[in-house]
């Protein structure tokens, strides 16, 4: 079998063998070797107990940690001469037992490599390479499944998912990461057991969703999530997009549209030095959720038309509730929801070109989300009408060019009123309070609408506004 092994793996294996212990490389590292990928994080399992192999790891590595000691896991880090860091974790053979109400196993030490491999999630992760003698161990046909790009459990899938329901989420995540398909019996078991996912913490579900979305094939992962029924439990707003289409097809399949938008948004991400480096979780989440307000806002209008008025605002509210329930970071939630709320903002420009003041306001108010919002807007333009597509694209190109020209003239991100709060209080003889804030916002609007003003003009405008208020 053709694969390349880190020399450090063989070195570590020899240290274990010298003490009479077995050591085997396991899990994703073996899978990646067969796929000719190099991994810097290596997982091993061993016949030795933690207290027996701790001295070996301390001697071998330049760093050591033991946060997983209660699970039989210790870790070490080794730096190569070229600066490359290799992180290893070694775990004693295990034979876990599970409480039906929890996915956390009661850790029992096992006595064989094959027994340890049987508790792995999928056959492609249940392969091992004994070191230092480089004997390949594959009791469940993982290499064959890897070649066929199939996800299958080493034991009965119902037992596997009953033991650890998070494995169902990992199955759809591997669809996105590896472009694999789920074996029929495994997929059937997932569909039958989706409610078991509810015993898993929101944080663990969130982490799997993040890995899925940041994978090379996020659309395939989302489609598998929905098809399996898992999305009904963890992200129900997405399968709800599968709206029944009226017989005259007066609106698009919203779920299919969303999948296209997700694909297009991914394609619009940039290289590492660009404004939206790939993979970008904020953009991908916004693309996935941008239309989730449509099911609640769909209306059949006179004449057979279908409308989704205010689905942007409703969608932002629904997204905030769901992302909070999944314990996403507050800043990321704000960014995703703001993108959803603003994703229709540009459409008015196509019908009537904005003034410089409106362009300036768009760039200022979108702020750090400007580049992502433009990409989401472009991705969302999925019309099949070639002429409409060209008009829309040309309008977006024009807007972006105008923003670039305005940025050359002034720092749009740093725009402030021509009078600050202290000056406003002095001119209007005000104490600090809400009126100062209102005056400040008016002067900011004036600055955005008219561009920079000199001191005399700004004072005159502030006094005019104050007089109009009576």
């Amino acid at each position: 079998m053709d694969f390349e092994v880190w020399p450090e793996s063989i070195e570590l294996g020899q240290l274990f063998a010298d003490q009479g212990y077995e050591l085997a490389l396991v899990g994703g590292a073996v899978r990646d070797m067969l796929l000719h990928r190099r991994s810097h994080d290596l997982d091993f399992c061993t016949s030795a107990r933690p207290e027996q192999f701790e001295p070996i790891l301390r001697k071998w590595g330049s760093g050591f940690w033991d946060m997983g000691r209660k699970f039989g896991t210790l870790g070490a880090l080794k730096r190569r001469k070229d600066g490359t860091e290799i992180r290893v974790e070694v775990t004693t053979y295990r034979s876990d037992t599970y409480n039906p109400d929890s996915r956390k196993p009661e850790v029992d030490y096992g006595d064989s490599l094959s027994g340890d491999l049987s508790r792995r999630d999928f056959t492609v992760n249940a392969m091992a390479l004994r070191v230092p003698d480089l004997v390949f161990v594959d009791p469940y046909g993982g290499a064959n499944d890897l070649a066929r790009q199939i996800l299958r459990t080493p034991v009965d899938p119902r037992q596997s998912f009953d033991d650890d329901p998070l494995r169902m989420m990992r199955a759809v995540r591997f669809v996105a990461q590896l472009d694999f398909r789920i074996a029929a019996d495994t997929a059937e078991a997932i569909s039958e057991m989706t409610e078991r996912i509810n015993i898993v913490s929101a944080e663990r579900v969130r982490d799997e969703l993040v890995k899925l979305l940041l994978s090379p094939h996020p659309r395939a992962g989302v489609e598998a999530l929905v098809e399996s029924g898992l999305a009904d439990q963890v992200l129900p707003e997405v399968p709800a997009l599968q709206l029944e289409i009226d017989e005259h097809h007066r609106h698009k399949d919203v779920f299919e549209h969303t999948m296209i938008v997700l694909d297009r948004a991914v394609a619009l991400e940039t290289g590492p030095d660009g404004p939206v480096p790939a993979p970008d979780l904020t953009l991908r989440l916004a693309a996935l959720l941008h239309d989730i307000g449509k099911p609640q806002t769909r209306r059949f209008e006179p004449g057979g038309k279908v409308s989704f008025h205010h689905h942007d605002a409703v969608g932002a509210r629904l997204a905030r509730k769901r992302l909070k329930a999944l314990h996403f970071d507050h800043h990321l939630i704000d960014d995703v929801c703001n993108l959803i709320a603003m994703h229709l903002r540009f459409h008015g420009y196509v019908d009537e070109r904005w003034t410089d003041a409106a362009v300036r306001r768009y760039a200022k108010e979108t702020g750090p989300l400007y580049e992502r919002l433009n990409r989401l807007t472009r991705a969302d333009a999925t019309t099949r009408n070639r002429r409409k597509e060209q008009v829309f694209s040309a309008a977006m190109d024009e807007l972006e060019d105008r923003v670039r020209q305005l940025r050359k003239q002034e720092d749009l991100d740093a725009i402030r009123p021509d009078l600050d709060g202290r000056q406003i209080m002095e001119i209007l003889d005000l104490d600090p309070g809400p009126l100062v804030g209102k005056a400040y916002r008016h002067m900011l609007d004036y600055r955005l609408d008219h561009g920079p003003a000199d001191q005399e003009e700004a004072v005159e405008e502030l006094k005019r506004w104050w007089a109009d208020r009576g």
Side-chain angles (χ1 to χ4, degrees):
M1 188 165 291
D2 179 26
F3 49 73
E4 184 180 357
V5 184
W6 282 107
E8 289 80 3
S9 298
I10 301 174
E11 176 190 2
L12 188 59
Q14 189 60 57
L15 292 175
F16 274 70
D18 291 344
Q19 299 297 318
Y21 304 131
E22 297 176 3
L23 185 70
L25 186 65
V26 293
V30 179
R31 181 195 71 225
D32 288 345
M33 275 197 309
L34 297 182
L35 293 173
H36 301 288
R37 300 172 180 172
R38 296 301 294 271
S39 174
H40 293 79
D41 295 332
L42 308 178
D43 291 326
F44 295 85
C45 62
T46 180
S47 59
R49 299 292 192 262
E51 64 274 12
Q52 294 173 319
F53 68 79
E54 179 176 342
I56 300 176
L57 284 185
R58 288 187 179 275
K59 176 182 177 182
W60 174 84
S62 54
F64 173 83
W65 60 91
D66 64 351
M67 288 84 76
R69 185 183 292 273
K70 68 178 181 178
F71 300 109
T73 301
L74 303 177
L77 177 146
K78 193 178 187 71
R79 291 185 178 88
R80 308 179 95 192
K81 292 181 180 179
D82 64 1
T84 304
E85 289 187 349
I86 302 171
R87 296 166 61 90
V88 307
E89 288 196 341
V90 182
T91 303
T92 301
Y93 293 153
R94 282 166 52 172
S95 177
D96 299 337
T97 56
Y98 288 82
N99 183 316
D101 298 323
S102 172
R103 63 168 294 272
K104 295 180 180 179
E106 297 177 9
V107 179
D108 296 325
Y109 290 140
D111 55 10
S112 71
L113 176 58
S114 61
D116 185 276
L117 295 177
S118 71
R119 51 172 287 277
R120 305 275 163 172
D121 52 4
F122 302 105
T123 58
V124 295
N125 293 330
M127 301 177 287
L129 184 69
R130 292 187 183 274
V131 287
D133 46 355
L134 302 183
V135 174
F136 182 64
V137 181
D138 184 17
Y140 303 103
N144 185 48
D145 288 344
L146 191 66
R148 295 191 299 155
Q149 296 184 299
I150 288 178
L151 287 169
R152 190 169 54 84
T153 55
V155 297
D156 181 271
R158 288 162 185 80
Q159 176 190 332
S160 180
F161 299 144
D162 193 54
D163 285 346
D164 185 356
L166 190 64
R167 289 171 178 166
M168 297 187 289
M169 288 294 300
R170 284 203 289 267
V172 295
R173 187 244 294 178
F174 283 130
V175 169
Q177 281 188 335
L178 302 174
D179 200 21
F180 280 19
R181 60 185 176 86
I182 303 173
D185 63 335
T186 304
E188 183 180 351
I190 293 174
S191 295
E192 292 174 359
M193 302 178 67
T194 54
E195 290 187 1
R196 282 285 288 163
I197 199 66
N198 293 318
I199 72 167
V200 180
S201 71
E203 291 84 358
R204 300 302 296 270
V205 170
R206 175 204 63 206
D207 290 346
E208 290 298 326
L209 282 174
V210 168
K211 292 174 184 176
L212 184 158
L213 287 172
L214 295 181
S215 295
H217 311 282
R219 174 177 178 171
V222 172
E223 290 174 338
L225 188 73
V226 171
E227 184 178 344
S228 69
L230 279 170
D232 292 318
Q233 305 294 327
V234 303
L235 202 61
E237 294 80 6
V238 173
L241 295 172
Q242 296 174 309
L243 297 174
E244 181 180 350
I245 301 178
D246 65 286
E247 59 179 329
H248 301 294
H249 298 275
R250 290 193 176 90
H251 68 87
K252 303 175 216 175
D253 178 329
V254 182
F255 178 74
E256 176 65 20
H257 164 75
T258 297
M259 294 300 94
I260 294 171
V261 173
L262 178 59
D263 271 345
R264 289 164 58 105
V266 170
L268 289 170
E269 292 171 343
T270 60
D273 298 326
V276 185
D280 188 83
L281 180 60
T282 303
L283 178 60
R284 295 185 183 198
L285 269 173
L288 177 63
L289 303 178
H290 78 284
D291 271 350
I292 61 172
K294 281 190 171 180
Q296 284 193 17
T297 59
R298 181 170 66 161
R299 298 290 183 272
F300 294 98
E301 306 289 355
K305 292 187 176 181
V306 180
S307 68
F308 301 97
H309 296 308
H310 308 301
H311 77 269
D312 45 350
V314 173
R317 187 176 71 248
L318 292 174
R320 184 174 297 278
K321 182 177 179 181
R322 178 57 52 193
L323 296 177
K324 286 178 68 176
L326 289 168
H327 296 185
F328 275 90
D329 174 79
H330 293 303
H331 295 295
L332 182 135
I333 292 175
D334 286 343
D335 286 348
V336 170
C337 294
N338 285 334
L339 285 171
I340 294 171
M342 294 188 294
H343 81 272
L344 299 178
R345 186 86 174 268
F346 169 77
H347 288 255
Y349 188 94
V350 180
D351 300 324
E352 183 178 351
R353 296 301 191 265
W354 294 341
T355 63
D356 280 354
V359 172
R360 189 183 291 112
R361 186 180 297 277
Y362 177 83
K364 170 66 176 177
E365 293 180 358
T366 56
L369 296 176
Y370 169 80
E371 295 287 353
R372 289 191 180 103
L373 180 59
N374 286 359
R375 281 161 174 76
L376 177 61
T377 303
R378 286 183 184 273
D380 191 32
T382 60
T383 178
R384 295 177 183 176
N385 185 311
R386 182 64 178 165
R387 188 189 67 79
K388 284 185 177 179
E389 180 185 7
Q390 290 175 338
V391 168
F392 188 93
S393 179
M396 178 61 82
D397 291 343
E398 180 185 290
L399 172 68
E400 291 180 337
D401 184 62
R402 291 178 65 186
V403 170
R404 280 192 292 271
Q405 294 303 318
L406 285 170
R407 288 191 192 282
K408 290 179 181 179
Q409 300 169 22
E410 52 185 313
D411 185 354
L412 298 181
D413 294 331
I415 285 180
R416 298 289 185 273
D418 297 295
L419 300 173
D420 61 26
R422 179 186 57 78
Q423 291 171 310
I424 289 171
M425 287 189 289
E426 288 179 355
I427 294 167
L428 300 182
D429 193 23
L430 292 174
D431 293 326
L435 279 176
V436 179
K438 290 180 180 180
Y440 185 91
R441 284 191 292 274
H442 171 75
M443 294 307 297
L444 177 59
D445 287 340
Y446 185 81
R447 170 70 174 79
L448 289 168
D449 289 340
H450 300 280
D454 59 30
Q455 178 79 6
E456 183 178 350
E457 179 185 348
V459 171
E460 182 179 343
E461 172 58 27
L462 176 63
K463 290 181 177 180
R464 185 201 61 75
W465 172 82
W466 184 246
D468 287 346
R469 289 181 57 86

